[in-house]
Amino acid sequence: TLSGLAASAGDNVTLTSSNPIMATVPASVTVGSGTSSLTFSVTHLLVTAAGSTTITAKFNGTSQSAVLTVNPFLVNGLTLSPTTVDGTMSSIGKVTLNAVPGTKSGAISVKLTSSSKNATVPLSVLCAIGASSATFTVKTTAVTATTTATITASHLTSSLSATLTIQPMPVLTSVSVSPSTVVGSSTTSVTGTI
């Protein structure tokens, strides 16, 4: 923003970024005739650790600066639904990032692991361009006793975990007939208990 209106030919403002690894700016912008300000784009780059850069605008011997902080993509959400399943049944996991991937960053790959051989997950899941979250399937196997599996999603320095409980499949525990004595060709009922 200028202190007054730009000249008839427009005023040229020089721009710099102190840390172009974090973010880049155009070399200069022109404030149109009769106006005092304009908006320009700052391209923030894909980083593996948080950092900052100072954006400086220079015009007519004066300068103004602003600090931009650039954060990496991090995992900030992990859910399982349902959180308890019978062995051989599946649960759906959902990973959420702290921001939406764009065309500059591309899709973001999140690593997945499971602490139990009774629950398997893909090696990774992709959060696509334009989507801050992605889903994956946790497949389980039959168990003879209630088992827990810790599902972990990680990217760079971030990591979140969720617990999946795996129960033995239901079994038939009893069968009864009522009445227990009948006359031929009559009807009775059978009750099974799981």
Side-chain angles (χ1 to χ4, degrees):
T1 300
L2 303 179
S3 59
L5 300 180
S8 59
D11 287 331
N12 192 61
V13 179
T14 301
L15 302 174
T16 58
S17 169
S18 66
N19 192 350
I21 294 176
M22 291 286 170
T24 59
V25 294
S28 64
V29 292
T30 300
V31 180
S33 173
T35 63
S36 62
S37 65
L38 61 70
T39 300
F40 61 91
S41 296
V42 178
T43 302
H44 43 91
L45 306 177
L46 187 63
V47 296
T48 57
S52 63
T53 183
T54 300
I55 308 301
T56 302
K58 295 181 179 181
F59 171 72
N60 197 24
T62 62
S63 66
Q64 294 290 331
S65 297
V67 176
L68 174 68
T69 299
V70 182
N71 291 314
F73 283 99
L74 300 174
V75 177
N76 71 351
L78 174 63
T79 60
L80 298 174
S81 180
T83 56
T84 300
V85 296
D86 293 332
T88 74
M89 304 300 288
S90 297
S91 177
I92 301 299
K94 182 179 181 180
V95 170
T96 303
L97 299 177
N98 60 336
V100 178
T103 55
K104 294 288 185 180
S105 67
I108 301 298
S109 177
V110 177
K111 181 182 177 182
L112 300 173
T113 59
S114 170
S115 65
S116 172
K117 65 181 181 179
N118 297 115
T120 57
V121 294
L123 294 177
S124 64
V125 63
L126 280 178
C127 291
I129 294 172
S132 63
S133 62
T135 60
F136 60 93
T137 300
V138 184
K139 297 180 179 180
T140 69
T141 59
V143 295
T144 56
T146 298
T147 301
T148 59
T150 300
I151 308 301
T152 302
S154 57
H155 180 67
L156 299 178
T157 59
S158 62
S159 179
L160 287 178
S161 297
T163 300
L164 179 67
T165 300
I166 309 166
Q167 300 181 144
M169 287 288 288
V171 295
L172 191 63
T173 59
S174 67
V175 175
S176 63
V177 292
S178 178
S180 58
T181 302
V182 297
V183 176
S185 78
S186 63
T187 302
T188 189
S189 62
V190 177
T191 300
T193 303
I194 294 177

